[in-house]
Amino acid sequence: MKLSRLFIIAVLFAMLLALPLYLPTSLVNAAIQMLIAALFASAFNVLAGQGGMLSFGHSAYFAIGTFATIHGMNALDETGLLPTPFMPLLGALAGCGLGIVAGWFSTQRSGVYFSMITLALAELLHTLAPHLKDIFGGEGGVSAMRMPAWGFNFGTSIEVYYLTLAWVALGIALLYCFTRTPLGRLCLGLRENSHRLKFMGYNVHKLRTMVFTISATFSGLAGALLAMNNEAANYVLFDMTLSTQVVLNSYIGGIGAFFGPALGAAVMTFFGYAVSDMTRTWLLYQGVIFVLVMMFMPAGLFSIGKWWSGNRRRFSAARLTGVLSGWVIGCIVAAAGFVFLCEFLALILALDYQSQLAEGAAWPAVALFDRQWLPGAFTTWLLPLALMVAGVVIILYVNRKWQSLCEGNA
């Protein structure tokens, strides 16, 4: 790893260490969720990004790690099988055990067949879980309490944050080291050309099972950290929503880079935390972000850093900042128009508003962003459309200027 990258990681880690000292409790809890999501996405990336095996059922290994940790916390008259700081190891072991079994079956096939098998296995567990009440607690779920250990009572969000940060940092570091091992390098061969590996004498099925198991182990570790934070678990964790979320987060961050999925998971988790309380249509915005990133930035958000580092020798930092700022401003202006349009449509199509309409009468005004807007007024529709057009024009203008700079500097 380059010294510059090590320096950036050290600065980032120092910021994460200092973060809870300056944040309210609600944001500390959000930061814990972001860390867990980052580790889960990094574990998923080892399988999908490095090994080329796209799993649609990775929530199963995350959830089994959560439940194993909850039961570990409740064991021995609720004193716990292990000291609280070591409790996440139970989740990793559970994920590893399930990963060996599920990986042996699912890696018998590749491509879309592999994806469908992982989906089927996850759905199988999701269907079985409500009926196994002794293990998964039915609809009420299972709860536990964090026990004091080593002088810490783990009763505050800050202590849980530092425990989560330690395990997440260790987990991501181990996953990174794994990608530098011979087995980690073979993952790229599994992704690019498994037939050549088989021709060279490697047991491809065994290799795939090992990679699958490693990914499931760290997914279980991430699930264990969720159990430590929430002190409860429900079979809903086996639902497809979590599996879909990790796929979307990983691709938004950039599945081609090791740290891309962690970045995407952290950003989108914070996005969900910040926006879900403001609007019911936040999942629509999340879907639109995914579509736009895949269309115009297929390498994900992490490619912005690569773009910067790839051009810093040709252009000054001020010029790169100007170009990047232009793109950001264009996106913000277009997004403002789109959000206005979506929120306005959601309000006038809601049942509460529709029930106020009288035949032959004009539609009443709608309160949005501290102002009253008439649905029948031309300006009400012109404003969001003008903002979206202006945003696209700004982006196209900055693109043209950037191309001119590149051609002039060639």
Side-chain angles (χ1 to χ4, degrees), residues 7-63:
F7 176 75
I8 292 173
I9 292 174
V11 171
L12 177 62
F13 189 70
M15 290 173 62
L16 289 174
L17 282 175
L19 205 59
L21 303 178
Y22 303 98
L23 292 181
T25 304
S26 59
L27 284 178
V28 173
N29 289 327
I32 294 171
Q33 299 292 337
M34 291 164 67
L35 288 171
I36 295 171
L39 177 60
F40 187 30
S42 298
F44 173 79
N45 187 42
V46 168
L47 184 69
Q50 303 287 323
M53 293 175 276
L54 181 58
S55 169
F56 286 147
H58 238 50
S59 63
Y61 317 103
F62 183 91

Side-chain angles (χ1 to χ4, degrees), residues 142-166:
V142 186
S143 60
M145 287 189 65
R146 297 183 294 268
M147 300 302 293
W150 303 352
F152 301 100
N153 60 17
F154 297 103
T156 64
S157 297
I158 291 180
E159 288 180 325
V160 177
Y161 173 86
Y162 283 119
L163 177 64
T164 305
L165 177 62

